[in-house]
Structures are given as structure tokens and as C-alpha cells.
Amino acid sequence: MIRLRTRTAFLCAALVGGCLAVAAFAVLPFLERVQTSTTRRLLTGEAVACSRQLARLFRASAGQPSAAAAARVLQSLALPAEQQVVVQHADGRVWLRLPAPSAAPGRERLPSAGEGQGVAYGQGIGKGTWFQYPESVVAVQVPVRADGRIQGWVTVAAPLRPANVNLLAMWGEYTAALAAIGIAALPAIRLLTRHLSRPVEQAAAAANRLAAGEPGPRPWPDGVAEVEQLSHALGTLADRLAMQTEELEEAKSKLDGVIANMGSGVILVDRAGRITLVNDAATRLLGGLQSGHDHREALAWPELSALVDHALSRGEPAHAELCGTRSGGLTLDVHAAPARGRHRSVAGVVVVLHDVSAWRRVVEMRSEFVANVSHELRSPITAIQGFAETLLDGAIDDPEASRQFLQVIYDESVRIGRLVEDLLDLSKMESGHTVFHFEPHDLRDLIQQVSDRFRHQADKLGISLVTAIPDTPVLAEVARERVLQVLVNLVANALAYTPSGGIVTLAVEDGGKEVRLIVRDTGIGIPPADLPHIFERFYRVDKARSRQSGGTGLGLSIVRHIVEAHGGRIDVHSRLGAGSTFTVVLPKHRPLSA
């Protein structure tokens, strides 16, 4: 690709050279005319001098001069050696020729006789002219007047070769001068082309920087209207590009921020099926997913890849709810929509992942809760209804039977009331509507109070209820009634699952920044498979014994909520057939979130 500066220099040099060449060849005819005119003037003067001398000779010889006398007269004029002189009679016959011809002329007359001048061409005598020159000649013819009449004609001729030599010399000098002018003009041409091309080169460089997205100095106007217009247009374009680039970067930053901080996973797949974008939520949900890989290899779920392929191939959005076995049964609500490019063609697929595992668990728990509540209420309601019908059928007349039936009805109603109370209590805790009043308390008093409450029941069951209380106070900021509720539930469960002759131990320990409440039994223990579920609502390890003891299956769930509200934790260690140990760890000071 030829640069503008080089092309301009070539064009200017060619233009100057062409003008000089045209000038050189145009001046050549002019010089030729000038040289011919000069030669004619010289020949005319010499012809007039010859005519005057011959006229004197004619007057002196009474009109009858001899050729020898005429030759002497003409030779006395010392004409140049290259000139020829032809003298004719009045009728046109050649009388004298100087210098003398080497052969007799082939004609008696010149082609034309008369006063005038002209250029004749010929190659020798007998070939079209009286002049013995093998090249072009200039001839001038004047009359010889004597005694009032024309006695003859004098023709002076000279070849053009000497004049042409002078002409060529003059033309060579002129051409050399023009060439020198052209060479001298080369620096000026260079400066001119540099001056003309610099703004364009600056504009091209500025345009290239703009195309590359790089800021840079703008071309300065140099007084040329077109260049100033170009500079102004480039400046306006640069300002608009900078503004649009800034807006695009800001929009991209906002979009990246939105995508990165979305709670839902976002995956962008291009037309070739490669993953080009993955946000943190998608990486967390799908486990270390990275961009740059084919979605069929990167996505562990074939169903998810099938949705992407469907959106890519058909250009239609796809939706499905996918359940996985990883991470405790992850459930995803997946939307795959095609991303349109030019001409509405499919340029890729945007996949949005919503983690609905918790919502699904809530739905399942709600269904399970309704089923459990219905199941828990069916038994006491059935018992109440059955014994009431028995009483209405006549058993009321039997005092002993009626009293027994009424006692069962009362116990079942109490059980229903306890179930409803536990359900309301648990519902308030889960919704955050329960108010906890934290005050400093000596936890030794709570252990003693719970021990006194269950002492009679333990003796009745043949179980030893033991307390381990330190001598120094164990103070902590707790909600007293709620901690009592925790201990009551744990001790009640321990008594219910400990056979006669067993031991239930209540203890409190000071752990520095926290306290530990311990309920240990020597009961039947908890199978390892049941340990992860014992704090779930209505979950029972031994359902028959739990119902016999009047349990609702909500006690441990309530315990967990109370302990978490205190900012603590509860640990369970159990061995089947050897008993269980529940350890409640509570901070001594009120949690900030309470």
C-alpha cells in the first residue's frame, strides 16, 4: 500500500516534470522560428548588398556587364563560405552562380523568379532545386534595379544546419536550466507533500487509535478548511466514542455486579455449546463449574444439558424442575432461554438456576406436619369419641366404668391440649414471635428445681434421679422459663426411655465463657440412623413408648429452637443399649441477636 506522502510526491514530481517537458518542447519551435528569422535577416542584408553592387556594375557597363566582372564584384563582398549566390537575368535565366557549380545545372531557370524569400529543400542539382545543399536551406531573392528597371535577380541561400546546431545548443541549455529548476523544486515538493499529508496522517493515526480503543492526542487543524472539518469530525467522534465506551463500561459493571450478586445461578452458553459466563451462585450450586468448557462435559446433570440443547437447537425457552442426589437432595428450578443475535438468530442460551430445595423441603415438611398432626390428633379424638359413645350407650350407669372412661377422656383431652400448646409454642418460635426475657440466673437453682419436680415420678418408675451441682454459683444470662422448659423436656424423655433400675443424671458445669447443662441416662439409647432426625418435629425413636408416656414428638424440636435462640448449641452422644447424653451449651452473656 503506497503512502499518501509518497503518492503525493510522485504526483507533484510528475506534474512538475511534465510541465517542464511541455515547456521544453513548446519552446523548441519558437527558438527555431527565431533562428530562421535571424538567418533570413542576415541573408536579406547580404542579398541587398549584392543587388546594389550589381546595379552599379550594370550602370557602369551600360547594362552589359560580364559574368567575370559580376563574380569579382560579388567576391569582393566576402560572403560566408557556406552561402550560395545565384544571379538571374530578368527573364529568369541563371547568369552567375557562386561558388561555381561542380556540374552544369539541370535547369535554366529557378522554380520561381520574383522578389521574396523562402526555404527550399533538395539533395543536389537536378533533384528539384538549383541549390547544391543536401539539407534544408534558407533563400532570399531580391531584384537588381538599374536605369529605372529590373536588370535581374540576386538569390542568396544558406543551409540551416549551422542554425540548427545553434538551435540545439540553445535548446540544450534551456533544457538543462529546466532540469536544474526541477531538481531544485524537489525539496519544495517534499516539504509541500509533508505539509499536505501530515494532517491526513495524524487523522489516520487518531482514527486507528480510536478503532483500537486507545485515547490519544487529536490532530490539530492547520488552517485548511477540509482538514479542520476532518479534525472536528474526528474530535466529535472521539468524544462520542468515549461517552459510549464509558456508558457501556458502566452498564457492563452494573450487569456484572447484578449477575455476580444474584442469589440465583446464571450460566451463559454460546452457539458452539461452550460456557462463557458463570456467576458465583451457579458455581456454588453446581460445584466448581468453570467457563470455557463444553456444557455437556461441565454440567453434571444430563437433564440440564438437555434443556440447553433444546434451547439452542429449537430457539425456544425451556423450563424444568430438576432433583439431584448431591448435597442432600438439591432441587433446582431451571429456565433456559435463547439469546438472540443479528437477524434474530440464536447466539447462545441464558440459563437461570433457582435453588428451590428449601421451599420443597418446606412443602414436604408442611405436608408431613399436617399428616403428623392429623395422625397425632386422630388417636385421642378416636378414644374420646369411643368412650363418650360407650357412656351414652349406658355405661354411664355403671359408676366404676364411667369413672374409668371419664379418666381416659380426660387424659386424652390433656394430651390434645399439650399437643396444641406445643404446636403453638413451636410455631411462635419458628416465626420469631416468641419474646425471650434474658436475666442473670444461677443455673444450679434450675437444675435443683427440675430435679425436685421429677423426683416423685422417678421414684415411682424405679429410676434414680441424680444431680451434679458445683459448690460455686454458675451464672448466665438466660430466659429462665425457657431453660426450664429445655430441662423438663430432656428429663422427661430420659425417664420415658430409661427402664426401671436405671439412672438419670442432671449436671451443670462452668466452662469459662459458657455453661453446660447435661442430662445423662442409662436407657435404651438411640440408634445411629435416628440421631440426625431426633430434633425433627413428630420424630420418635420408639413410637409406642412415646405415646404411652404422653409425648407429642415436638419436645426436642422445641428444645433446639430455645437453645438456638440463646445462641447456644445442643450435642447428643448415644450408644444403643447404653444410654444417651444431651449436653446444652449456652453462652454466659446475652447474645447480640436476641
Side-chain angles (χ1 to χ4, degrees), residues 160-360:
L160 284 177
R161 180 166 51 84
N164 289 339
V165 171
N166 295 333
L167 176 64
L168 290 176
M170 292 176 60
W171 188 77
E173 294 175 358
Y174 180 75
T175 304
L178 292 180
I181 294 174
I183 294 174
L186 290 178
I189 292 175
R190 181 179 181 184
L191 292 177
L192 177 62
T193 55
R194 180 181 299 176
H195 176 71
L196 292 176
S197 62
R198 183 183 294 112
V200 179
E201 291 174 354
Q202 291 178 349
N208 290 332
R209 287 192 297 269
L210 291 177
E214 300 176 359
R218 300 178 184 175
W220 291 95
D222 61 351
V224 180
E226 290 78 3
V227 174
E228 289 187 356
Q229 292 176 1
L230 178 60
S231 299
H232 178 71
L234 284 175
T236 304
L237 177 62
D239 293 337
R240 291 183 178 178
L241 284 177
M243 184 181 301
Q244 292 179 357
T245 302
E246 184 177 355
E247 292 176 354
L248 288 175
E249 290 179 352
E250 183 179 356
K252 182 178 182 298
S253 177
K254 291 180 180 178
L255 180 60
D256 291 342
V258 170
I259 293 177
N261 295 284
M262 284 180 61
S264 301
V266 177
I267 302 174
L268 183 60
V269 181
D270 63 12
R271 185 183 302 175
R274 291 187 302 271
I275 297 176
T276 58
L277 184 145
V278 180
N279 68 344
D280 295 340
T283 302
R284 184 176 62 256
L285 290 174
L286 299 179
L289 187 63
Q290 295 182 353
S291 60
H293 300 283
D294 189 272
H295 73 91
R296 301 171 188 85
E297 299 175 358
L299 299 178
W301 292 2
E303 298 87 353
L304 183 55
S305 296
L307 290 178
V308 175
D309 289 333
H310 175 85
L312 277 176
S313 59
R314 298 191 179 183
E316 300 175 353
H319 169 255
E321 188 173 289
L322 307 179
C323 298
T325 57
R326 300 190 321 172
S327 302
L330 183 65
T331 303
L332 297 178
D333 185 64
V334 182
H335 293 264
R340 301 289 180 179
R342 291 184 178 181
H343 310 296
R344 301 296 298 169
S345 61
V346 178
V349 174
V350 179
V351 182
V352 181
L353 310 172
H354 301 284
D355 184 5
V356 295
S357 304
W359 178 76
R360 278 297 174 190

Side-chain angles (χ1 to χ4, degrees), residues 259-455:
I259 293 177
N261 295 284
M262 284 180 61
S264 301
V266 177
I267 302 174
L268 183 60
V269 181
D270 63 12
R271 185 183 302 175
R274 291 187 302 271
I275 297 176
T276 58
L277 184 145
V278 180
N279 68 344
D280 295 340
T283 302
R284 184 176 62 256
L285 290 174
L286 299 179
L289 187 63
Q290 295 182 353
S291 60
H293 300 283
D294 189 272
H295 73 91
R296 301 171 188 85
E297 299 175 358
L299 299 178
W301 292 2
E303 298 87 353
L304 183 55
S305 296
L307 290 178
V308 175
D309 289 333
H310 175 85
L312 277 176
S313 59
R314 298 191 179 183
E316 300 175 353
H319 169 255
E321 188 173 289
L322 307 179
C323 298
T325 57
R326 300 190 321 172
S327 302
L330 183 65
T331 303
L332 297 178
D333 185 64
V334 182
H335 293 264
R340 301 289 180 179
R342 291 184 178 181
H343 310 296
R344 301 296 298 169
S345 61
V346 178
V349 174
V350 179
V351 182
V352 181
L353 310 172
H354 301 284
D355 184 5
V356 295
S357 304
W359 178 76
R360 278 297 174 190
R361 284 195 296 269
V362 169
V363 172
E364 293 175 0
M365 289 173 62
R366 183 181 300 169
S367 300
E368 183 180 354
F369 176 75
V370 172
N372 289 333
V373 170
S374 301
H375 181 72
E376 293 295 330
L377 290 176
R378 184 182 297 111
S379 296
I381 290 176
T382 301
I384 292 173
Q385 182 179 359
F387 285 105
E389 290 178 353
T390 303
L391 291 173
L392 292 174
D393 287 341
I396 194 173
D397 296 331
D398 186 349
E400 184 178 354
S402 61
R403 183 176 182 83
Q404 181 181 359
F405 292 164
L406 289 174
Q407 184 64 45
V408 173
I409 293 173
Y410 174 78
D411 293 340
E412 296 298 332
S413 64
V414 170
R415 181 180 172 187
I416 293 176
R418 189 182 302 116
L419 176 61
V420 172
E421 184 178 353
D422 287 346
L423 287 173
L424 292 176
D425 207 4
L426 183 60
S427 176
K428 289 180 181 180
M429 290 182 185
E430 290 180 345
S431 62
H433 294 160
T434 302
V435 179
F436 289 80
H437 299 283
F438 291 89
E439 295 178 355
H441 290 281
D442 188 354
L443 298 186
R444 298 181 304 169
D445 297 338
L446 300 182
I447 293 294
Q448 190 60 50
Q449 184 176 351
V450 173
S451 176
D452 294 341
R453 177 175 177 179
F454 285 96
R455 181 71 61 185

Side-chain angles (χ1 to χ4, degrees), residues 29 81 142 177 258 317 366 393 436 522 539 542 545 594:
V142 296
V258 170
R366 183 181 300 169
D393 287 341
F436 289 80
T522 58
Y539 190 85
D542 189 343
R545 180 173 297 188

Side-chain angles (χ1 to χ4, degrees), residues 485-495 519 556 559 570 582 584:
Q485 188 176 3
V486 169
L487 293 174
V488 166
N489 280 323
L490 293 178
V491 172
N493 284 343
L495 293 175
V519 178
L556 290 181
V559 166
I570 182 169
F582 287 80
V584 177

Side-chain angles (χ1 to χ4, degrees), residues 84 97 102-103 111 119-137 159-161:
Q84 284 188 358
R97 185 187 301 274
S102 57
V119 179
Y121 302 92
Q123 300 298 323
I125 297 175
K127 293 186 178 180
T129 181
W130 280 91
F131 304 112
Q132 300 183 36
Y133 298 115
E135 69 257 62
S136 300
V137 297
L160 284 177
R161 180 166 51 84

